[in-house]
Amino acid sequence: MMELKTDTSIDAMYAAGQVVGRALTAVRDAADVGVSLLELDEVAHQVLRDAGARSPFLGYHPSFAPTPFPSVICASVNDAIVHGIPDGHRLRDGDLVSIDCGAELDGWVGDSAISFVVGEPRAEDLRLVETAERALAAGIGAAVPGNRIGDIANAIGSVCRSAGYGIPDGFGGHGVGRRMHEDPPVPNEGRPGRGLRLRHGMVLAIEPMLIGSGADGYHAAPDGWTLRTNDGSRAAHTEHTVAITDTGPRILTAR
């Protein structure tokens, strides 16, 4: 069931979102050739601890997963699209990294993700990341009262498809509030004018996921969490928590 948030609640969610923004900035600043994903997880965890926040990722156990998630961030490298579990992998020159992070502060949740390249980037990776950011911006731009969920989905999908990228079916954004995943789902592709009408007080996590080859296929890795492209091509993932307001979309996880 979808909950409309009051303006006071949205302000509280902004506070949680700013913790997420600081964590992602700290992780990106720390990411370098030779740094392990576990070390990046600890960087984010320390930001949350310093803010008095907890991680909604740590211990999260949805029905599809064989085990609770063991980390504070999702760290997805190269052909991993989302939900990568941080491990001892040390970043290599040219790795394409997607970091997803959440924070719960005073009972409210913020959720956001970034993609970036470590070391010397390949031109095609920079284009992939830039397109993911444009798709996110397009989705946010459509997040206004009177529009529908399908307008957000269509805005995201149009940017991705026109650039020749794939979109993993069945994974996208979602409502967010007291819990990390709430109604409604927010697909990354869809028809405009369809779906739930957007209203002041709705808060959505909008999160494009792009596959570089243009194919849509993916599979779950043996850990049961990480989603990888079927053809080994690289992927990018961006996300913001956004409040629908009568004065326009408010990005609660702005960095």
Side-chain angles (χ1 to χ4, degrees):
M1 180 177 178
M2 186 195 68
E3 175 194 4
L4 293 177
K5 279 71 175 179
T6 66
D7 292 344
T8 299
S9 297
I10 290 172
D11 287 341
M13 292 190 69
Y14 177 81
Q18 291 310 287
V19 177
V20 178
R22 291 198 298 274
L24 288 173
T25 298
V27 167
R28 182 168 188 167
D29 289 346
D32 202 354
V33 175
V35 175
S36 77
L37 300 181
L38 284 172
E39 290 169 334
L40 296 183
D41 188 63
E42 177 55 30
V43 167
H45 204 170
Q46 189 59 53
V47 172
L48 267 61
R49 285 192 291 258
D50 289 345
R54 63 170 294 274
S55 169
F57 288 19
L58 185 62
Y60 180 58
H61 196 180
S63 59
F64 69 80
T67 58
F69 195 76
S71 305
V72 168
I73 61 172
C74 297
S76 306
V77 180
N78 296 332
D79 67 326
I81 306 167
V82 288
H83 301 164
I85 298 175
D87 57 17
H89 172 81
R90 294 194 176 275
L91 295 172
R92 303 182 180 97
D93 188 44
D95 274 349
L96 174 52
V97 183
S98 297
I99 302 293
D100 193 354
C101 184
E104 181 183 323
L105 184 67
D106 297 328
W108 295 101
V109 174
D111 188 10
S112 185
I114 56 173
S115 290
F116 56 88
V117 179
V118 173
E120 187 67 28
R122 305 190 304 185
E124 56 266 37
D125 289 342
L126 292 179
R127 179 174 176 267
L128 179 61
V129 171
E130 186 272 333
T131 305
E133 292 172 347
R134 283 198 296 112
L136 177 59
I140 293 171
V144 296
N147 273 359
R148 294 183 180 271
I149 292 291
D151 295 304
I152 297 176
N154 181 259
I156 293 170
S158 295
V159 171
C160 297
R161 294 300 189 189
S162 64
Y165 295 128
I167 300 171
D169 184 46
F171 285 86
H174 49 88
V176 62
R178 293 286 187 182
R179 293 175 291 110
M180 182 168 56
H181 291 122
E182 298 183 351
D183 289 332
V186 185
N188 285 327
E189 192 167 31
R191 297 176 63 183
R194 297 296 183 90
L196 188 68
R197 189 175 297 278
L198 305 180
R199 299 167 57 191
H200 180 94
M202 293 174 64
V203 180
L204 307 174
I206 298 173
E207 50 178 323
M209 304 168 195
L210 284 65
I211 298 176
S213 66
D216 295 348
Y218 64 91
H219 63 276
D223 63 24
W225 276 99
T226 309
L227 299 184
R228 296 191 178 276
T229 62
N230 282 346
D231 56 12
S233 60
R234 295 190 174 200
H237 173 212
T238 57
E239 178 184 18
H240 271 308
T241 297
V242 181
I244 313 297
T245 80
D246 289 334
T247 57
R250 182 182 179 188
I251 302 174
L252 305 182
T253 47
R255 294 180 287 277

